[in-house]
Amino acid sequence: MSQKDQQVHDTTLKLGLKDYSSAQFYGSPRVAANPKGGRIICGVANVKNGLGGYIGYQAYAIQYIPANPNYTPLLYMGAVAQIDCKGAGIDQSVNPVL
């Protein structure tokens, strides 16, 4: 992961999650060229919902276009993130052994 990728990853999660400081990450995020254009950063996390309970480990994806500074990175989680990551060649397991 490049320094730019890491910066986009960290900033997007800090701004996009309700309680970033309580997020539990599994493994390391991975980066690939996004078949839809730009780049995709994929990972697995357990985050809190609006009521303060953990939702369980789920795949997340961040899409962004490095060449376009006006493009706001897009963060999404769940089945769609897992499908998009797999389409980019990243198979993220969402069944961590704890």
Side-chain angles (χ1 to χ4, degrees):
M1 182 179 302
S2 72
Q3 186 175 4
K4 174 67 174 172
D5 293 332
Q6 188 69 51
Q7 178 186 11
V8 168
H9 175 268
D10 294 348
T11 302
T12 302
L13 288 175
K14 286 176 184 172
L15 294 174
L17 298 178
K18 288 187 182 291
D19 188 0
Y20 174 79
S21 64
S22 69
Q24 301 169 343
F25 296 95
Y26 179 73
S28 297
R30 297 178 52 202
V31 182
N34 186 351
K36 297 176 182 179
R39 294 176 66 76
I40 187 166
I41 304 170
C42 300
V44 176
N46 187 12
V47 299
K48 289 186 176 181
N49 63 20
L51 299 175
Y54 283 100
I55 64 171
Y57 283 91
Q58 295 188 23
Y60 67 85
I62 300 169
Q63 293 185 30
Y64 81 104
I65 301 172
N68 185 350
N70 296 323
Y71 181 85
T72 301
L74 174 65
L75 167 66
Y76 53 103
M77 297 187 77
V80 174
Q82 191 170 11
I83 290 167
D84 283 355
C85 290
K86 195 167 188 173
I90 300 173
D91 190 11
Q92 291 288 57
S93 171
V94 293
N95 299 311
V97 177
L98 301 176

